[in-house]
Amino acid sequence: MTQAQIGVTGLAVMGANLARNLARHGHVVAVHNRSLSRTTKLVEEHGDEGTFLACETPEEFVAALERPRRVLIMVKAGAPTDAVIEEFAPLLEPGDMLVDGGNAHFLDTRRREAALRERGIHFVGTGVSGGEEGALLGPSIMPGGSKESYAALGPLLEDISAKVDGVPCCTHIGPDGAGHFVKMVHNGIEYADMQLIAEAYDLLRHGTGLDPARLADVFDEWNRGELSSYLIEITAEVLRQVDASTGRPLVDVIADRAEQKGTGRWTVQIALDLGVPVSGIAEAVFARSVSGHVELREAARGLPGPSGVTDKALGEEFVEDVRRALYASKIIAYAQGFDQIRAGSAEYGWDVDPGALATIWRGGCIIRAVFLDRIREAYEEETPPVTLLTAPLFVEALGLAQDSWRRVVAKAAELGIPVPGFSTALAYYDSLRAERLPAALIQGQRDFFGAHTYRRTDREGSFHTLWSGDRSEVGA
């Protein structure tokens, strides 16, 4: 009897496409879904792509798998994932693997991994990026879990992942929740990247009067240089699309309310817990939130602003300024994301390799970009940088871009065009390079109203000024 190397339960589009990808690569795949109709449909429509073993019950599904069993769960995060685990775990044996390929919160993954480890079952929280197309044609894959589980599971995942220069876009990230943590931050960077591109579009559209078709050409041109990336590529495609029913640019017909599924918000929440500033990602999350507050925006529409918005005198020089400002701001967003990954790795003892992440994000995933090669090179140096901003390649790039960056932020303020991503990225850059920050005043205020103490620049220790007394200083 033929046995499957891996099984996929949960056959919505992502699960079905991953199953097809595995089958296309010559692996025998057991497939299962709570509703049998989806299982039947997959085999009927795509059975010629490889060998599928259609299973009606969990018991039949588990019995169809070779040992150690590899079960890939592709259902909604949260309670549905827990329900599937409770259904399948009793059917498994020590050494078997449950692989969660959804966008689970990494703390849930840590909880599940610890509980299943006690039963001898490997739980592998796995980030999968690339959307529906990536799942079928080759995603970027970020598996966590034990080294033992990766030894048995990794070759299959590497086989179906995207490849760049022959290198699989898949690697073992680290123990327990490391894979889902890294995928969460990946998505946070994605939020920031998309917001910055949207701001570049807005600046050019309303700051120069260029129409979407012309802007599509601009983004196409940018995609041939240092900004080359999947998101820049699809931006040009979206801007070029004409709505069939109205004849207008599709971007003018789409409601300007950006939705979100939660991973960007999680990134910001966890960054706050870790004490890591990810201001670019936070602004991107808040920008989506603002866009969705329709009543608030309608109520505020009459607020006074600049006399005019469009300044058609702005020409090619401004377009180049925006390009440079976009590149600089993207560097900030990625640097903040990698800083958060480093902090999370230290907090939870994961030993995540940032250079390996830059390598596997070069293909398959949504944030794939040419400049990830530069990030990989920076982390492969004998002494990796504390932050990507101090890597020589990025010091040079930021130095070349900063004048344009400042002009763009200033012009946006003058024209009343909101650029929270560009402006917060520049503020973060200036904050890091400042010799002194006004935090000294804040600490003085805190000591005044709450006796929270402060440190001095000229000697060790903590101190408090007797503000309500004779204002002498005492040690704390």
Side-chain angles (χ1 to χ4, degrees), residues 216-238:
D217 294 337
V218 170
F219 279 93
D220 262 342
E221 183 179 344
W222 288 358
N223 198 44
R224 291 192 287 272
E226 61 189 3
L227 281 171
S228 177
S229 68
Y230 174 71
L231 286 171
I232 294 289
E233 176 187 340
I234 67 170
T235 297
E237 294 293 327
V238 172

Side-chain angles (χ1 to χ4, degrees), residues 315-327:
E316 291 302 315
E317 288 185 3
F318 185 67
V319 173
E320 176 60 13
D321 276 348
V322 172
R323 185 193 69 79
R324 291 187 175 191
L326 175 58
Y327 187 57

Side-chain angles (χ1 to χ4, degrees), residues 62-384:
V62 169
L65 299 171
E66 68 179 25
R67 291 182 177 87
R69 300 179 181 92
R70 308 168 186 89
V71 177
L72 175 57
I73 302 169
M74 294 301 299
V75 300
K76 288 183 179 180
T81 300
D82 282 322
V84 171
I85 291 171
E86 287 303 311
E87 186 174 32
F88 281 91
L91 305 176
L92 301 178
E93 299 175 351
D96 290 345
M97 284 157 270
L98 280 170
V99 185
D100 178 11
N103 273 333
H105 196 293
F106 81 99
L107 292 176
D108 286 339
T109 302
R110 297 195 82 208
R111 167 178 58 80
R112 292 163 181 154
E113 192 276 338
L116 288 167
R117 190 189 330 133
E118 292 185 356
R119 300 164 69 168
I121 298 171
H122 297 283
F123 186 74
V124 184
T126 302
V128 180
S129 179
E132 297 172 6
E133 181 177 312
L136 181 61
L137 302 180
S140 177
I141 309 178
M142 295 151 260
S146 66
K147 291 181 179 178
E148 292 81 3
S149 66
Y150 193 78
L153 178 68
L156 278 75
L157 299 183
E158 291 177 11
D159 196 24
I160 66 167
S161 71
K163 310 293 188 301
V164 176
D165 300 329
V167 178
C169 292
C170 173
T171 192
H172 183 231
I173 303 300
D176 58 73
H180 276 144
F181 182 93
V182 163
K183 175 57 163 55
M184 174 191 73
V185 179
H186 164 284
N187 285 20
I189 295 171
E190 178 185 310
Y191 273 58
D193 205 343
M194 293 172 72
Q195 175 65 25
L196 293 168
I197 292 171
E199 289 178 18
Y201 153 75
D202 203 28
L203 283 162
L204 297 181
R205 179 83 188 270
H206 299 108
T208 67
L210 292 173
D211 62 29
R214 172 70 183 97
L215 287 173
D217 294 337
V218 170
F219 279 93
D220 262 342
E221 183 179 344
W222 288 358
N223 198 44
R224 291 192 287 272
E226 61 189 3
L227 281 171
S228 177
S229 68
Y230 174 71
L231 286 171
I232 294 289
E233 176 187 340
I234 67 170
T235 297
E237 294 293 327
V238 172
L239 291 175
R240 191 168 283 118
Q241 184 69 21
V242 175
D243 177 54
S245 61
T246 64
R248 298 169 59 196
L250 180 63
V251 73
D252 289 346
V253 178
I254 297 174
D256 61 340
R257 298 190 292 276
E259 299 178 0
Q260 51 186 309
K261 290 188 175 180
T263 46
R265 184 171 65 251
W266 293 346
T267 304
V268 177
Q269 290 169 340
I270 298 303
L272 290 170
D273 292 340
L274 293 170
V276 180
V278 293
S279 50
I281 297 171
E283 287 294 349
V285 172
F286 287 131
R288 292 195 189 191
S289 180
V290 168
S291 77
H293 279 270
V294 178
E295 291 184 5
L296 185 65
R297 292 173 61 196
E298 288 178 350
R301 196 147 293 152
L303 292 174
S307 56
V309 174
T310 301
D311 185 351
K312 292 186 178 179
L314 297 173
E316 291 302 315
E317 288 185 3
F318 185 67
V319 173
E320 176 60 13
D321 276 348
V322 172
R323 185 193 69 79
R324 291 187 175 191
L326 175 58
Y327 187 57
S329 299
K330 281 165 70 81
I331 292 172
I332 299 293
Y334 281 70
Q336 290 182 348
F338 275 91
D339 288 346
Q340 182 170 355
I341 289 169
R342 185 181 61 180
S345 178
E347 175 71 17
Y348 297 106
W350 289 330
D351 195 26
V352 175
D353 179 356
L357 298 185
T359 299
I360 67 170
W361 286 350
R362 294 180 303 161
C365 71
I366 302 301
I367 64 170
R368 60 185 183 265
V370 165
F371 93 127
L372 279 160
D373 264 325
R374 305 183 78 176
I375 294 176
R376 177 180 56 82
E377 291 168 11
Y379 281 120
E380 287 178 350
E381 291 291 330
E382 186 174 343
T383 304

